[in-house]
Amino acid sequence: MKLFVYHTPELTPTDTVPECAIAVDVLRATTTMATVLASGGEAVQVFSDLDKLIQVSESWSREKRLKVGERGGAKVPGFDLGNSPLSCTPEIVQGKRLFMSTTNGTRALQCIQNSKVVITGALINRAAVVKYLVQHKPETVWIVGSGWEGSYSLEDTVCAGAIIHSLAQEIQMSLDKLAGNDEVISAVALYSQWQNDLLGLMHHASHGKRLLRLECHEDLKYCSQTDILDVLPMQQEIGVLKKS
Ligand code: 3SL
């Protein structure tokens, strides 16, 4: 198995695909996706275009759909939910398809959507991602951070490091053997330094600060927990993620 970390969709190669690609947007899209599916949501379907999302969602019955939209950290007017994972309780999402568009997370997913296997990772479901990699041993694995509008983000890279750190321990393989690019080593170094204070790291992150300005303190706390949900969102058809 060879692992590659790409910090943003823009840095991700476009001329080839890996056997397995993992989209990461800890704050907050992939944390929300894991929470939706763990809470009994039927699926999460992602869109970059809000008009397309509205059009497709309206072909579903009213009781079975929710529109989730975020721009600049805030809920899109007229949508049912913003991108807070804390809103995705079983009472709200059970049995429903969530039609979702966010600033960066959905773009990260779209740039890897043609990979053989597409899954989403966050700190809260890190163990489920690692379990999948240990069981299936894909030859090439890309971990793609969402970043923020093309820029690096600490929270996605630390999550990539958390996944790789745990995987290396589980399969007893050295980082040197696992690493396909230098970003793998730096992601693990970041995680090693902050693993006992991930919430503290979120407070340094530019998007963490943006969310704090929007009074999303509880979201930051929730998103910085590790291994609390045993759920693996996996793409079943282009843009549609279900519990694997
Ligand atoms: O950019 C994204 O995809 C979002 O996750 C951003 S936010 O955390 O919902 O503001």
Side-chain angles (χ1 to χ4, degrees):
M1 189 168 6
K2 274 283 177 209
L3 302 182
F4 298 79
V5 171
Y6 299 107
H7 294 309
T8 64
E10 288 74 9
L11 291 168
T12 305
T14 52
D15 56 347
T16 171
V17 290
E19 201 175 323
C20 172
I22 307 167
V24 174
D25 185 13
V26 170
L27 296 175
R28 292 167 293 177
T30 57
T31 301
T32 297
M33 289 167 188
T35 306
V36 167
L37 297 181
S39 297
E42 180 264 333
V44 176
Q45 185 164 358
V46 298
F47 297 83
S48 51
D49 183 68
L50 292 175
D51 292 333
K52 179 92 180 139
L53 182 158
I54 293 168
Q55 186 204 324
V56 176
S57 70
E58 282 174 358
S59 63
W60 282 64
S61 69
R62 215 174 266 280
E63 326 72 72
K64 294 256 179 224
R65 69 180 192 225
L66 286 171
K67 294 195 294 276
V68 181
E70 167 278 327
R71 288 295 179 269
K75 175 167 145 339
V76 174
F79 275 48
D80 301 300
L81 300 172
N83 190 22
S84 172
L86 298 177
S87 311
C88 301
T89 58
E91 295 71 33
I92 293 182
V93 305
Q94 184 93 47
K96 299 198 173 148
R97 177 166 293 209
L98 279 79
F99 296 88
M100 179 176 192
S101 180
T102 68
T103 313
N104 304 286
T106 48
R107 274 185 334 121
L109 262 168
Q110 280 170 338
C111 90
I112 53 170
Q113 67 187 8
N114 294 320
S115 307
K116 287 189 197 115
V117 173
V118 176
I119 58 183
T120 70
L123 291 166
I124 60 166
N125 71 333
R126 182 264 308 254
V129 171
V130 172
K131 188 161 57 165
Y132 176 85
L133 296 175
V134 170
Q135 279 172 0
H136 297 271
K137 296 193 175 44
E139 214 162 282
T140 47
V141 179
W142 292 1
I143 306 178
V144 176
S146 303
W148 184 268
E149 295 182 341
S151 303
Y152 174 93
S153 69
L154 282 169
E155 65 276 12
D156 295 339
T157 301
V158 86
C159 180
I163 293 168
I164 299 161
H165 183 267
S166 168
L167 176 68
Q169 282 183 342
E170 291 278 334
I171 62 174
Q172 298 277 301
M173 194 183 273
S174 72
L175 268 188
D176 215 32
K177 284 225 172 84
L178 274 176
N181 63 4
D182 288 2
E183 288 87 333
V184 167
I185 310 293
S186 70
V188 174
L190 183 69
Y191 175 70
S192 300
Q193 173 149 356
W194 287 93
Q195 58 184 315
N196 296 320
D197 187 16
L198 290 166
L199 180 57
L201 181 66
M202 304 288 164
H203 280 78
H204 286 291
S206 54
H207 188 47
K209 289 180 179 158
R210 186 177 295 109
L211 290 174
L212 288 172
R213 287 195 294 275
L214 293 166
E215 308 207 329
C216 299
H217 300 79
E218 294 304 316
D219 280 28
L220 249 66
K221 275 195 208 156
Y222 179 75
C223 295
S224 60
Q225 300 174 93
T226 43
D227 306 338
I228 59 164
L229 295 184
D230 186 17
V231 65
L232 187 67
M234 183 175 284
Q235 182 174 264
Q236 308 290 328
E237 59 188 91
I238 296 280
V240 179
L241 296 148
K242 295 190 178 183
K243 215 164 155 177
S244 81

